[in-house]
Every structure is written in structure tokens, then in C-alpha cells.
Amino acid sequence: MNSKPLRPPGAIAETDFLATCIRCGKCAQICPYGSIRTAGFLDGPVMMGTPVIVPRSKPCYLCMKCPPVCPSGALRREMKRKEDVRMGIAKIDDKECLAWQGTLCRSCYDDCPLFGEAIVMDKELRPVVDEKKCVGCGICENVCPVEEPTIKVRPGGRT
Amino acid sequence: MTIRRARRAVQILTLGMIVLIPILNRAEITFLSGTFYSLAIGPVWITDPIIGFQTMLTSLRIDKALLLSMVIPLAAAAVLGRVFCSWMCPQNTLSEWVDHLADRLSSKRMFTFRTPRHVRTAVTAAVVLAAPLAGFPLASLLSAPGIISAQTARLIKEGAVGAEVILIAVILIAELFVARRVWCSTLCPVGGFLALFRFRRTMRVALVEDAQHHCGRCHACDEACQLGLAPMAGDIQPVCHNCGDCIDTCARLQHGARPLVFKR
């Protein structure tokens, strides 16, 4: 796992999250998609037991069931609207992205849950992320047809 | 009915719930959810007090819902003593079973000692103080009931368990070969923290002698106590968790004349 993991929707800033999350696993238990995994021993003792999302294996579908069950407030319980989520920001690698390299592809655009808002197609039919709208759910990263996804979520970065 | 029989029923029910809750959750029936870190019964939340308290210390924030969810277990401990430990905690259930296993195997432990009464309190204080220094809720990694329930849930949901379970294995092996019931009696921070909420009127085991009830000094209660306490001598707090085994044994030998009782 890279330095900063992707947290479930509503997570507070990473340092505070590590101090506040009680590692109870309730969010993972409630997640209907099994998107929330539990960090293990190899991620380090500080990380162990905390919830993480690995978009390439399963992204967050923004059902918003996990924030209200958090007993400690590590996930903001009042987070109700998916548009308000700020888990991270998707970044496109335009050197590798098929659409940016001239092949017709709109997988990320089509599957973005904030359709037509967080990812828009420019005049030359290339996807562009609107950083103000993107919630960081990772669905785009999950559906990217390139073997090493050319659109990836950078966790956190803002609150 | 003996106290032990009622207690066994509750223990088995608890183990059943540890398995049932994640299965129901997986079927998206979520009225009951959570683990022994934090449990939700509909709108009522119950959080392990040491987990909640250390989280407030490490995060330097008082979350009202978290604070409120600690009220039920603290009230229960203040009124009934640590019945959570003896009647519900899955680690205690496993440890009791391992203790019977040790009897069957006639396992000789490497150390036998009289249970020190204040070591557990010191361990608890050390864990609570170390958490803010470490910057994360350390007690979560040392909560045996939390680990057992959360890892069972994880096994059912994700099909895998974490390295946290190593602690449980170490406890059981140590209790089988190294020192009898050493986790619950001397080390467990969860029990240690609950024991801080014992007051004068908290339910406890007491020797009450009068015209009808008298102690024959048979010391069968000492034998019955898995935690290595001597209920007759009285020096059993704050370690005793009100399991009632000593009272059962006393009742069996003395019938109606038993002097050991739960007293408030």
C-alpha cells in the first residue's frame, strides 16, 4: 500500500483519522459492496485494523451507509450527500490514457457517479477531471481498461 | 439453577451473536451491528469504555455520541461489577474452556503465583497513557473481546483474519502452559478499566456469616476461583469479576447455609 491510503467517505484528515478511528470494523461490516477492506499487519501497527479502499479491486459506490455508523467520529456522521464526499481526487495520466492518445475510450466518463460533472469530455473527446467536483470514489480507476490504470485517485489532499 | 448454568447460557448466546451479527449484516439486516469495540442495537450505541476514553485522549476531541455510548457499560460495571467479563467476554469464555482443558491434560504451568491485585490497574494506566504518545488507539490492539468479535466479523465479510488474532493465540497458549488465567487476572486493560468504576455499592462477592450461614473454612471457594483469588479471605478486589463460581461451590457444599453471596 502506498503512503496514504484511500479512506471511506466522510473520513477526517489522515492524522486525525489515525488517532480517532477505533479499529472496530463497523464501516467494513456495513458496506454492502465489500469495498471497505481492513488494513493488516504489513501496513504497520498504526495502520492495522483501519478501513481502506483499494479502488482497483473495489471502488466506493457512494451508498453513504458507512459514515453514520462510525462510533468515534473518524468518519463524519453528518456526511449524507455523495456530492459532499472528498475522499481524494482522480488524476489522469494523459501520456497513457487511451482517449488522450487518440483511441476512442470513455469508460471513466461513462461510469462516473457524478455523471457529466466530475469528469467531462473536452472538444477532442478526452476526459478531464473537474477537481472541484470529483469526490474520489475510485470508480474511474476501477473501470479504466488499461492494465495499469491511467486514471488514479490521489487520497485526501483536502477536507 | 446454579449461577454457572445461567452464565453458560449467556456466554453461549454471546458467542452465537458474535457469529450471527456479521451474517445478518451481510444479508443487509443491520438492526444489530458492530463488535465488542462498539455495538449498535438499533439507535442505542455501546462502546467499550477504555476504547472510547483513549480515543478521546489521542484525538483530543470529545465526540458526544462516543461519550454517550460509554454510559451503558460503565453503569453496568458500577452496579453489577464486571459481569461483562465473566458473563459475556468471549476471551473469558475461551480462557475458561482452556482452563478446563489444562485440568484434563493436567498441564503444569511454569509459574504459579497468588494473583497480584494491582498489576492489572497499572497495565491499564500504562496502555491509556501510551495511546496518545503512540498517536493511535493502542488499546484497540489489546482488546481481546474486540479482536475476537471483529476478526470473526472480518472472516465472515472478507474471508480473512488479521494478525490481531495472534494475541488471542498467545493468551491461550500462555494460560495453558505459563500461568493460569494470567490475561484476565493480571493483564487485560479492558477489564482493568471497567474495574476502575467499582464503588461501595457495586455488586460483589462477600462472606456474610450469621446464625444460619457459617463458613466451614473448607477453602473450596479458593479452589473454584479460576482467577486465583481467595473469596473467603476477602482480598479479591479489583480482580474479581463476579462469575459466581465460588458461590456455586459454596452452595453445593453448604446447601442453604452458604455464607458466600453476591452483595450490594
Side-chain angles (χ1 to χ4, degrees):
Chain A
M1 188 176 302
N2 51 24
S3 55
K4 221 175 182 188
L6 190 62
R7 299 298 187 186
I12 56 180
E14 182 65 12
T15 327
D16 296 335
F17 185 86
L18 285 171
T20 309
C21 169
I22 63 171
R23 284 76 169 151
C24 69
K26 267 177 90 184
C27 51
Q29 224 174 324
I30 213 84
C31 178
Y33 302 100
S35 304
I36 302 179
R37 312 286 300 183
T38 311
F41 178 70
L42 295 178
D43 303 311
V46 175
M47 207 61 109
M48 186 157 84
T50 58
V52 292
I53 291 171
V54 184
R56 197 58 172 169
S57 57
K58 208 164 260 180
C60 171
Y61 293 102
L62 299 170
C63 70
M64 306 310 286
K65 282 191 175 142
C66 56
V69 305
C70 179
S72 69
L75 303 181
R76 273 184 284 256
R77 287 184 282 263
E78 65 278 11
M79 185 68 74
K80 299 240 155 57
R81 286 157 30 96
K82 63 181 180 187
E83 295 82 1
D84 298 337
V85 171
R86 290 291 178 269
M87 299 159 69
I89 305 171
K91 292 262 192 260
I92 296 173
D93 176 359
D94 50 21
K95 300 248 163 20
E96 300 293 330
C97 171
L98 297 179
W100 277 85
Q101 292 306 313
T103 312
L104 208 59
C105 175
R106 37 191 269 166
S107 296
C108 56
Y109 170 78
D110 280 344
D111 282 2
C112 177
L114 281 85
F115 184 72
E117 291 183 33
I119 300 179
V120 290
M121 293 305 249
D122 70 5
K123 283 195 197 106
E124 275 139 79
L125 292 179
R126 299 173 305 198
V128 178
V129 176
D130 182 343
E131 301 202 346
K132 287 201 195 70
K133 299 268 176 68
C134 175
V135 300
C137 68
I139 294 177
C140 51
E141 181 175 334
N142 183 261
V143 298
C144 179
V146 181
E147 196 167 320
E148 177 63 33
T150 63
I151 181 164
K152 281 186 183 173
V153 176
R154 284 213 198 125
R158 59 187 176 185
T159 45
Chain B
M1 189 160 83
T2 58
I3 298 168
R4 174 180 277 198
R5 217 178 252 169
R7 197 163 63 84
R8 282 287 179 269
V10 176
Q11 284 177 316
I12 290 167
L13 192 72
T14 307
L15 291 182
M17 293 310 281
I18 289 174
V19 176
L20 191 65
I21 289 175
I23 291 176
L24 289 176
N25 284 183
R26 204 165 66 159
E28 293 191 43
I29 300 167
T30 53
F31 181 76
L32 287 171
S33 76
T35 60
F36 277 128
Y37 289 118
S38 186
L39 191 69
I41 305 166
V44 181
W45 288 12
I46 299 173
T47 302
D48 182 346
I50 190 174
I51 304 291
F53 181 68
Q54 59 145 21
T55 301
M56 290 178 192
L57 279 187
T58 50
S59 66
L60 298 174
R61 217 159 60 100
I62 292 175
D63 185 278
K64 269 192 218 123
L66 184 63
L67 191 64
L68 215 63
S69 67
M70 292 156 63
V71 170
I72 291 176
L74 289 181
V79 176
L80 298 171
R82 288 185 306 111
V83 288
F84 165 75
C85 300
S86 53
W87 291 63
M88 296 183 82
C89 177
Q91 179 60 53
N92 177 67
T93 307
L94 286 180
S95 287
E96 280 190 43
W97 177 73
V98 161
D99 202 64
H100 292 301
L101 187 71
D103 277 350
R104 283 234 195 121
L105 301 172
S106 29
S107 162
K108 289 266 183 296
R109 273 85 162 196
M110 287 154 67
F111 303 100
T112 44
F113 49 83
R114 245 194 100 180
T115 300
R117 289 190 298 126
H118 298 291
V119 172
R120 198 181 58 194
T121 312
V123 172
T124 304
V127 169
V128 168
L129 293 177
L133 295 178
F136 72 102
L138 186 65
S140 295
L141 302 184
L142 296 172
S143 161
I147 291 173
I148 293 171
S149 53
Q151 294 301 322
T152 305
R154 193 172 161 194
L155 183 65
I156 289 166
K157 179 91 186 190
E158 297 179 33
V161 293
E164 288 93 335
V165 296
I166 293 170
L167 178 70
I168 309 303
V170 169
I171 293 172
L172 295 178
I173 291 168
E175 292 188 339
L176 192 53
F177 298 112
V178 183
R180 187 183 189 197
R181 294 302 308 269
V182 66
W183 181 260
C184 300
S185 69
T186 325
L187 298 171
C188 176
V190 174
F193 195 80
L194 285 178
L196 298 177
F197 296 84
R198 188 173 49 84
F199 302 99
R200 219 151 49 107
R201 297 285 304 275
T202 301
M203 187 173 88
R204 66 186 190 277
V205 173
L207 184 74
V208 179
E209 288 189 288
D210 56 29
Q212 281 84 46
H213 305 86
H214 52 86
C215 171
R217 307 286 183 266
C218 69
H219 291 274
C221 49
D222 298 3
E223 296 282 313
C225 183
Q226 286 200 356
L227 298 186
L229 304 170
M232 223 186 72
D235 274 359
I236 59 175
Q237 306 298 352
V239 177
C240 171
H241 58 204
N242 287 351
C243 75
D245 276 4
C246 54
I247 296 177
D248 275 349
T249 303
C250 191
R252 194 166 58 242
L253 295 169
Q254 299 271 58
H255 305 287
R258 66 185 161 98
L260 276 184
V261 287
F262 278 133
K263 197 184 135 198
R264 291 206 54 203

